[in-house]
């Protein structure tokens, strides 16, 4: 009985994670941009025939950007809950979380350039 309950809880937790991903994609315009970029990178990688190592680097970059965006969104929601009124510290928290996404995205673009530019030259 404990095993069945444990398995049910794990299945539910995956359901919550997929619900969160759906919320992220449907409600966050920047996540929609990341989704488009993920598609472009995937198609370009396939078209260029990138190596397995290059795929690993690209996938790590995509995962980092998606993770940063998800954490930023979660922090924004929690900040809005904790501080519904405008507060300077709430604004700083949101700005720093957004900066984390920006840093991840900038480095992902740089790495994509390092990988893809030689295929086009």
């Amino acid at each position: 009985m404990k095993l069945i309950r444990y398995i049910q809880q794990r299945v539910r937790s995956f359901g919550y994670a997929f619900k969160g991903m759906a919320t992220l994609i449907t409600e966050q315009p920047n996540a929609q941009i990341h989704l488009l970029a993920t598609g472009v990178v995937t198609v370009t990688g396939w078209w260029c025939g990138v190596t397995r190592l290059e795929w690993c680097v690209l996938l790590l970059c995509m995962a980092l950007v998606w993770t940063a965006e998800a954490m930023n969104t979660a922090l924004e929601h929690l900040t809005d809950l904790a501080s519904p009124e405008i507060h300077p510290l709430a604004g700083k928290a949101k700005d720093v979380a957004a900066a984390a996404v920006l840093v991840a995205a900038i480095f992902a673009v740089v790495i994509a350039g390092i990988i893809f530019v030689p295929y086009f030259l």
Side-chain angles (χ1 to χ4, degrees):
M1 215 44 161
K2 281 185 174 184
L3 178 61
I4 291 172
R5 183 173 299 175
Y6 176 79
I7 292 170
Q8 289 172 335
Q9 289 171 340
R10 296 297 61 82
V11 169
R12 263 194 305 271
S13 70
F14 275 98
Y16 298 140
F18 284 115
K19 181 180 174 185
M21 183 59 94
T23 299
L24 180 66
I25 292 169
T26 59
E27 295 181 9
Q28 296 298 314
N30 287 339
Q32 294 166 2
I33 293 168
H34 297 314
L35 184 61
L36 176 64
T38 297
V40 168
V41 168
T42 301
V43 169
T44 305
W46 174 79
W47 185 76
C48 290
V50 298
T51 67
R52 287 191 324 198
L53 179 59
E54 289 168 333
W55 271 120
C56 289
V57 172
L58 291 170
L59 289 169
L60 281 170
C61 287
M62 289 186 277
L64 175 64
V65 172
W66 276 104
T67 301
E69 184 63 46
M71 296 303 292
N72 177 49
T73 299
L75 192 139
E76 285 181 358
H77 287 309
L78 283 173
T79 302
D80 291 344
L81 176 66
S83 180
E85 298 82 29
I86 294 175
H87 190 282
L89 289 177
K92 284 183 180 184
K94 288 177 155 187
D95 291 348
V96 171
V101 180
L102 181 61
V103 168
I106 287 170
F107 277 92
V109 168
V110 169
I111 290 169
I114 291 169
I115 290 172
F116 288 128
V117 165
Y119 285 99
F120 291 103
L121 293 181

